[in-house]
Amino acid sequence: MTTPRTGRCQTDPVEHAGYIEAIRRDGDRVARVVPADIDVPTCPGWTLFDLYHHLGSVHRWQVAQLDADDPSRLQPAPAVDLPTDPDDLVDWFLDGVDVLAERLTAVGASAEVPTWFGPRPAMFWARRAAHETAIHRWDAQAAVASPEPIDAELAVDGVDELLENVVPRRLAKDPWPAPAATIHLHATDDVVGEDEGEGMIELDGDQVDVRHEHGKGDVAIRASASDLVLVLAGRLPHSRLESFGDATVIDRWHATVHL
């Protein structure tokens, strides 16, 4: 199981507001990439239309969780009419961003809502939405131009969020194949503290353990926090980054985790 990082996943309203700000910021950046029948290389099989439809639908599904009467029951995805006209699609997408941000603000950080782990504070969805929006913003920009990196502080938290909330679900369905493996990550950003910028990931079957400390892994990757979360999310090949040790562990990561 994951070991959450101290100070994260708390109900600090400043952090909650920060996630909401990130959702709005990256949502606006997505909307500047005009939806078209253009392939998104980092999301095989998707066009920009598909990316808009996916992210806008996810935002509306997250609103459904915030509106749920029973925090023990995860809500189904609401039925949505997916616009096909580019202008209508941008408006529809931004409306979903606005509704999600407003609902997160109104509900607050600590209200119990349903998640795939059972009842959790509403900041779970603020955090999940911020990171999903940031990754797909990068995808959209990468389809048409050079994408902007993910903000360093958000990216460091994004590594943790993937390992705490997304990877365990993947490994529960598709366990890490033997032998067990370790990955050491080192973020090089000046604004990232030493404890936050280093991490050891241990993978064994359906278990993932994370510790923020220096260590020697089967493979080590040294890069900006943005590039680290993008590598873990399958957006960048490890060959473009500084790595040491057995790089096939990262290939196994991408084949097993499917982010």
Side-chain angles (χ1 to χ4, degrees):
M1 59 189 300
T2 56
T3 303
R5 179 152 61 118
T6 302
R8 299 293 178 183
C9 284
Q10 305 298 313
T11 55
D12 186 326
V14 176
E15 286 201 359
H16 187 67
Y19 290 133
I20 295 170
E21 180 183 353
I23 293 165
R24 287 192 179 278
R25 181 178 64 244
D26 280 312
D28 286 344
R29 289 172 175 170
V30 170
R32 294 185 201 129
V33 180
V34 177
D37 191 22
I38 296 173
D39 289 340
V40 180
T42 50
C43 300
W46 282 13
T47 66
L48 284 171
F49 280 112
D50 296 319
L51 186 149
Y52 263 84
H53 289 158
H54 167 78
L55 192 53
S57 297
V58 167
H59 287 162
R60 286 162 171 80
W61 177 71
Q62 290 165 339
V63 169
Q65 310 317 311
L66 299 171
D67 288 345
D69 294 329
D70 183 356
S72 67
R73 296 183 62 185
L74 198 65
Q75 299 300 298
V80 295
D81 293 324
L82 300 175
T84 55
D85 177 82
D87 290 337
D88 291 343
L89 183 53
V90 170
D91 290 342
W92 174 84
F93 172 77
L94 287 175
D95 182 62
V97 170
D98 286 341
V99 171
L100 176 59
E102 290 167 3
R103 201 74 96 249
L104 284 166
T105 300
V107 170
S110 59
E112 277 204 342
V113 297
T115 76
W116 49 65
F117 296 126
R120 291 283 181 89
M123 198 171 79
F124 176 95
W125 290 117
R127 191 184 190 204
R128 177 84 288 273
H131 293 302
E132 178 135 358
T133 306
I135 291 290
H136 285 318
R137 182 273 300 168
W138 192 94
D139 291 327
Q141 290 180 335
V144 296
S146 296
E148 301 170 77
I150 297 171
D151 175 79
E153 184 177 0
L154 185 66
V156 169
D157 184 61
V159 171
D160 282 352
E161 199 273 338
L162 283 176
L163 293 167
E164 293 169 15
N165 296 332
V166 180
V167 173
R169 297 183 73 216
R170 298 293 194 270
L171 294 184
K173 298 177 181 178
D174 190 3
W176 184 264
T182 55
I183 301 172
H184 177 242
L185 303 178
H186 187 158
T188 57
D189 309 77
D190 291 339
V191 299
V192 176
E194 183 175 347
D195 290 341
E196 293 182 328
E198 290 204 68
M200 284 292 298
I201 306 169
E202 296 183 8
L203 300 147
D204 187 5
D206 63 356
Q207 301 296 305
V208 53
D209 183 72
V210 185
R211 299 186 305 278
H212 282 270
E213 62 185 29
H214 181 73
K216 182 175 176 58
D218 295 317
V219 63
I221 302 178
R222 179 182 171 88
S224 69
S226 177
D227 283 351
L228 289 179
V229 73
L230 289 168
V231 164
L232 292 182
R235 267 55 181 185
L236 289 178
H238 58 76
S239 59
R240 288 178 52 180
L241 309 180
E242 185 179 11
S243 64
F244 311 90
D246 183 4
T248 64
V249 172
I250 304 301
D251 295 329
R252 291 170 62 199
W253 169 275
H254 290 153
T256 304
V257 178
H258 308 299
L259 292 175

